[in-house]
PDB file of all heavy atoms in Angstrom:
ATOM      1  N   LEU A 115      54.383-119.441  54.979  1.00  0.00           N
ATOM      2  CA  LEU A 115      53.617-118.686  55.957  1.00  0.00           C
ATOM      3  C   LEU A 115      52.611-119.620  56.621  1.00  0.00           C
ATOM      4  O   LEU A 115      52.449-119.544  57.880  1.00  0.00           O
ATOM      5  CB  LEU A 115      52.958-117.486  55.258  1.00  0.00           C
ATOM      6  CG  LEU A 115      53.790-116.250  55.364  1.00  0.00           C
ATOM      7  CD1 LEU A 115      53.148-115.127  54.530  1.00  0.00           C
ATOM      8  CD2 LEU A 115      54.107-115.829  56.789  1.00  0.00           C
ATOM      9  N   ASP A 139      43.448-131.083  90.182  1.00  0.00           N
ATOM     10  CA  ASP A 139      42.958-131.701  91.330  1.00  0.00           C
ATOM     11  C   ASP A 139      43.526-131.061  92.579  1.00  0.00           C
ATOM     12  O   ASP A 139      42.838-130.761  93.587  1.00  0.00           O
ATOM     13  CB  ASP A 139      43.306-133.174  91.289  1.00  0.00           C
ATOM     14  CG  ASP A 139      42.362-133.927  90.220  1.00  0.00           C
ATOM     15  OD1 ASP A 139      41.231-133.481  90.070  1.00  0.00           O
ATOM     16  OD2 ASP A 139      42.886-134.833  89.661  1.00  0.00           O
ATOM     17  N   VAL A 148      39.554-129.548 105.851  1.00  0.00           N
ATOM     18  CA  VAL A 148      40.152-130.866 105.514  1.00  0.00           C
ATOM     19  C   VAL A 148      39.083-131.858 105.403  1.00  0.00           C
ATOM     20  O   VAL A 148      37.939-131.758 105.799  1.00  0.00           O
ATOM     21  CB  VAL A 148      41.125-131.395 106.706  1.00  0.00           C
ATOM     22  CG1 VAL A 148      42.269-130.380 106.726  1.00  0.00           C
ATOM     23  CG2 VAL A 148      40.441-131.501 108.002  1.00  0.00           C
ATOM     24  N   GLN A 224      28.399-137.220 113.336  1.00  0.00           N
ATOM     25  CA  GLN A 224      29.719-137.516 112.802  1.00  0.00           C
ATOM     26  C   GLN A 224      30.662-138.222 113.734  1.00  0.00           C
ATOM     27  O   GLN A 224      31.442-139.041 113.412  1.00  0.00           O
ATOM     28  CB  GLN A 224      30.273-136.160 112.356  1.00  0.00           C
ATOM     29  CG  GLN A 224      29.648-135.535 111.200  1.00  0.00           C
ATOM     30  CD  GLN A 224      29.768-136.391 109.975  1.00  0.00           C
ATOM     31  OE1 GLN A 224      30.713-136.821 109.573  1.00  0.00           O
ATOM     32  NE2 GLN A 224      28.559-136.746 109.356  1.00  0.00           N
ATOM     33  N   PHE A 369      34.411-112.500 129.732  1.00  0.00           N
ATOM     34  CA  PHE A 369      33.414-112.140 128.769  1.00  0.00           C
ATOM     35  C   PHE A 369      33.999-111.590 127.384  1.00  0.00           C
ATOM     36  O   PHE A 369      33.550-111.982 126.307  1.00  0.00           O
ATOM     37  CB  PHE A 369      32.519-111.071 129.359  1.00  0.00           C
ATOM     38  CG  PHE A 369      31.256-110.709 128.687  1.00  0.00           C
ATOM     39  CD1 PHE A 369      30.130-111.079 129.273  1.00  0.00           C
ATOM     40  CD2 PHE A 369      31.286-110.005 127.524  1.00  0.00           C
ATOM     41  CE1 PHE A 369      28.913-110.645 128.689  1.00  0.00           C
ATOM     42  CE2 PHE A 369      30.108-109.703 126.904  1.00  0.00           C
ATOM     43  CZ  PHE A 369      28.898-109.972 127.415  1.00  0.00           C
ATOM     44  N   ALA A 372      37.247-113.285 123.032  1.00  0.00           N
ATOM     45  CA  ALA A 372      36.483-113.702 121.798  1.00  0.00           C
ATOM     46  C   ALA A 372      36.742-115.183 121.528  1.00  0.00           C
ATOM     47  O   ALA A 372      35.923-115.788 120.892  1.00  0.00           O
ATOM     48  CB  ALA A 372      36.950-112.897 120.587  1.00  0.00           C
ATOM     49  N   THR A 373      37.828-115.766 122.016  1.00  0.00           N
ATOM     50  CA  THR A 373      38.047-117.123 121.778  1.00  0.00           C
ATOM     51  C   THR A 373      37.235-118.011 122.631  1.00  0.00           C
ATOM     52  O   THR A 373      37.317-119.243 122.607  1.00  0.00           O
ATOM     53  CB  THR A 373      39.566-117.435 121.924  1.00  0.00           C
ATOM     54  OG1 THR A 373      39.920-117.123 123.295  1.00  0.00           O
ATOM     55  CG2 THR A 373      40.433-116.663 120.923  1.00  0.00           C
ATOM     56  N   SER A 384      22.463-108.352 128.357  1.00  0.00           N
ATOM     57  CA  SER A 384      23.023-107.092 127.912  1.00  0.00           C
ATOM     58  C   SER A 384      22.221-106.554 126.796  1.00  0.00           C
ATOM     59  O   SER A 384      22.287-105.338 126.492  1.00  0.00           O
ATOM     60  CB  SER A 384      24.406-107.358 127.445  1.00  0.00           C
ATOM     61  OG  SER A 384      24.463-108.057 126.219  1.00  0.00           O
ATOM     62  N   ASP A 432       4.282 -97.817 126.027  1.00  0.00           N
ATOM     63  CA  ASP A 432       3.805 -96.836 127.030  1.00  0.00           C
ATOM     64  C   ASP A 432       4.372 -97.043 128.438  1.00  0.00           C
ATOM     65  O   ASP A 432       4.031 -96.340 129.395  1.00  0.00           O
ATOM     66  CB  ASP A 432       2.242 -96.981 127.149  1.00  0.00           C
ATOM     67  CG  ASP A 432       1.520 -96.252 126.001  1.00  0.00           C
ATOM     68  OD1 ASP A 432       2.238 -95.705 125.253  1.00  0.00           O
ATOM     69  OD2 ASP A 432       0.343 -96.562 125.920  1.00  0.00           O
ATOM     70  N   GLU A 595      10.541-126.578 105.500  1.00  0.00           N
ATOM     71  CA  GLU A 595      10.225-127.960 105.351  1.00  0.00           C
ATOM     72  C   GLU A 595       9.031-128.202 104.508  1.00  0.00           C
ATOM     73  O   GLU A 595       8.980-129.232 103.800  1.00  0.00           O
ATOM     74  CB  GLU A 595       9.814-128.500 106.821  1.00  0.00           C
ATOM     75  CG  GLU A 595      11.045-128.935 107.593  1.00  0.00           C
ATOM     76  CD  GLU A 595      11.829-130.066 107.127  1.00  0.00           C
ATOM     77  OE1 GLU A 595      11.216-131.143 106.984  1.00  0.00           O
ATOM     78  OE2 GLU A 595      12.975-129.875 106.740  1.00  0.00           O
TER      79      GLU A 595
ATOM     80  N   SER B 314       2.036 -90.840 124.038  1.00  0.00           N
ATOM     81  CA  SER B 314       1.247 -91.869 123.572  1.00  0.00           C
ATOM     82  C   SER B 314      -0.180 -91.504 123.892  1.00  0.00           C
ATOM     83  O   SER B 314      -0.506 -90.745 124.835  1.00  0.00           O
ATOM     84  CB  SER B 314       1.554 -93.224 124.428  1.00  0.00           C
ATOM     85  OG  SER B 314       0.909 -94.267 123.965  1.00  0.00           O
ATOM     86  N   ASN B 487      22.227-101.686 127.585  1.00  0.00           N
ATOM     87  CA  ASN B 487      22.348-101.843 126.123  1.00  0.00           C
ATOM     88  C   ASN B 487      21.110-101.374 125.464  1.00  0.00           C
ATOM     89  O   ASN B 487      19.961-101.658 125.999  1.00  0.00           O
ATOM     90  CB  ASN B 487      22.593-103.184 125.712  1.00  0.00           C
ATOM     91  CG  ASN B 487      24.104-103.481 125.948  1.00  0.00           C
ATOM     92  OD1 ASN B 487      24.452-103.932 127.008  1.00  0.00           O
ATOM     93  ND2 ASN B 487      24.890-103.246 124.927  1.00  0.00           N
ATOM     94  N   ASN B 520      51.227-111.158  57.361  1.00  0.00           N
ATOM     95  CA  ASN B 520      50.947-110.623  56.072  1.00  0.00           C
ATOM     96  C   ASN B 520      49.446-110.104  56.030  1.00  0.00           C
ATOM     97  O   ASN B 520      48.931-109.805  57.023  1.00  0.00           O
ATOM     98  CB  ASN B 520      51.122-111.711  55.024  1.00  0.00           C
ATOM     99  CG  ASN B 520      50.374-112.926  55.350  1.00  0.00           C
ATOM    100  OD1 ASN B 520      49.271-112.954  55.869  1.00  0.00           O
ATOM    101  ND2 ASN B 520      50.860-114.073  55.120  1.00  0.00           N
ATOM    102  N   VAL B 550      28.169-105.407 123.208  1.00  0.00           N
ATOM    103  CA  VAL B 550      28.018-106.147 124.378  1.00  0.00           C
ATOM    104  C   VAL B 550      29.312-106.637 124.942  1.00  0.00           C
ATOM    105  O   VAL B 550      29.479-107.449 125.827  1.00  0.00           O
ATOM    106  CB  VAL B 550      27.160-107.388 124.020  1.00  0.00           C
ATOM    107  CG1 VAL B 550      25.765-107.008 123.688  1.00  0.00           C
ATOM    108  CG2 VAL B 550      27.646-108.290 122.972  1.00  0.00           C
ATOM    109  N   SER B 621      40.929-109.505 123.437  1.00  0.00           N
ATOM    110  CA  SER B 621      41.057-110.832 122.764  1.00  0.00           C
ATOM    111  C   SER B 621      40.962-110.613 121.324  1.00  0.00           C
ATOM    112  O   SER B 621      40.324-109.716 120.852  1.00  0.00           O
ATOM    113  CB  SER B 621      40.151-111.915 123.369  1.00  0.00           C
ATOM    114  OG  SER B 621      38.947-111.640 122.638  1.00  0.00           O
ATOM    115  N   ARG B 667      35.260-131.764  83.775  1.00  0.00           N
ATOM    116  CA  ARG B 667      36.086-130.571  83.789  1.00  0.00           C
ATOM    117  C   ARG B 667      36.113-129.842  82.470  1.00  0.00           C
ATOM    118  O   ARG B 667      36.244-128.663  82.448  1.00  0.00           O
ATOM    119  CB  ARG B 667      37.547-130.949  84.177  1.00  0.00           C
ATOM    120  CG  ARG B 667      38.418-129.879  84.362  1.00  0.00           C
ATOM    121  CD  ARG B 667      39.681-130.511  84.916  1.00  0.00           C
ATOM    122  NE  ARG B 667      39.440-130.891  86.350  1.00  0.00           N
ATOM    123  CZ  ARG B 667      40.286-131.748  87.077  1.00  0.00           C
ATOM    124  NH1 ARG B 667      41.211-132.394  86.446  1.00  0.00           N
ATOM    125  NH2 ARG B 667      40.123-131.979  88.368  1.00  0.00           N
ATOM    126  N   TYR B 717      35.621-130.751 106.587  1.00  0.00           N
ATOM    127  CA  TYR B 717      35.511-130.492 108.026  1.00  0.00           C
ATOM    128  C   TYR B 717      36.460-129.282 108.265  1.00  0.00           C
ATOM    129  O   TYR B 717      37.474-129.134 107.707  1.00  0.00           O
ATOM    130  CB  TYR B 717      36.094-131.639 108.806  1.00  0.00           C
ATOM    131  CG  TYR B 717      35.089-132.851 108.730  1.00  0.00           C
ATOM    132  CD1 TYR B 717      35.215-133.628 107.537  1.00  0.00           C
ATOM    133  CD2 TYR B 717      34.287-133.212 109.676  1.00  0.00           C
ATOM    134  CE1 TYR B 717      34.416-134.798 107.362  1.00  0.00           C
ATOM    135  CE2 TYR B 717      33.445-134.441 109.570  1.00  0.00           C
ATOM    136  CZ  TYR B 717      33.581-135.141 108.412  1.00  0.00           C
ATOM    137  OH  TYR B 717      32.821-136.214 108.216  1.00  0.00           O
ATOM    138  N   ASN B 723      36.743-121.045 120.702  1.00  0.00           N
ATOM    139  CA  ASN B 723      36.843-122.284 121.472  1.00  0.00           C
ATOM    140  C   ASN B 723      36.079-122.103 122.870  1.00  0.00           C
ATOM    141  O   ASN B 723      35.377-121.079 122.916  1.00  0.00           O
ATOM    142  CB  ASN B 723      38.330-122.618 121.827  1.00  0.00           C
ATOM    143  CG  ASN B 723      38.971-121.517 122.742  1.00  0.00           C
ATOM    144  OD1 ASN B 723      38.309-121.152 123.752  1.00  0.00           O
ATOM    145  ND2 ASN B 723      40.192-121.124 122.468  1.00  0.00           N
ATOM    146  N   SER B 783      16.229-130.088 103.290  1.00  0.00           N
ATOM    147  CA  SER B 783      15.722-130.249 104.538  1.00  0.00           C
ATOM    148  C   SER B 783      16.886-130.510 105.524  1.00  0.00           C
ATOM    149  O   SER B 783      17.796-131.385 105.321  1.00  0.00           O
ATOM    150  CB  SER B 783      14.858-131.484 104.610  1.00  0.00           C
ATOM    151  OG  SER B 783      14.592-131.871 105.964  1.00  0.00           O
ATOM    152  N   GLN B 986       0.154 -99.177 115.066  1.00  0.00           N
ATOM    153  CA  GLN B 986       1.137-100.047 115.791  1.00  0.00           C
ATOM    154  C   GLN B 986       0.760-101.538 115.536  1.00  0.00           C
ATOM    155  O   GLN B 986       1.643-102.445 115.711  1.00  0.00           O
ATOM    156  CB  GLN B 986       1.103 -99.714 117.281  1.00  0.00           C
ATOM    157  CG  GLN B 986       1.691 -98.308 117.539  1.00  0.00           C
ATOM    158  CD  GLN B 986       2.043 -98.090 118.878  1.00  0.00           C
ATOM    159  OE1 GLN B 986       1.497 -98.531 119.833  1.00  0.00           O
ATOM    160  NE2 GLN B 986       3.072 -97.182 119.078  1.00  0.00           N
TER     161      GLN B 986
END
Side-chain angles (χ1 to χ4, degrees):
Chain A
L115 269 175
D139 287 327
V148 297
Q224 290 298 308
F369 191 111
T373 56
S384 71
D432 284 351
E595 278 295 297
Chain B
S314 186
N487 283 89
N520 50 37
V550 297
S621 77
R667 183 170 285 158
Y717 296 75
N723 70 43
S783 168
Q986 294 198 330

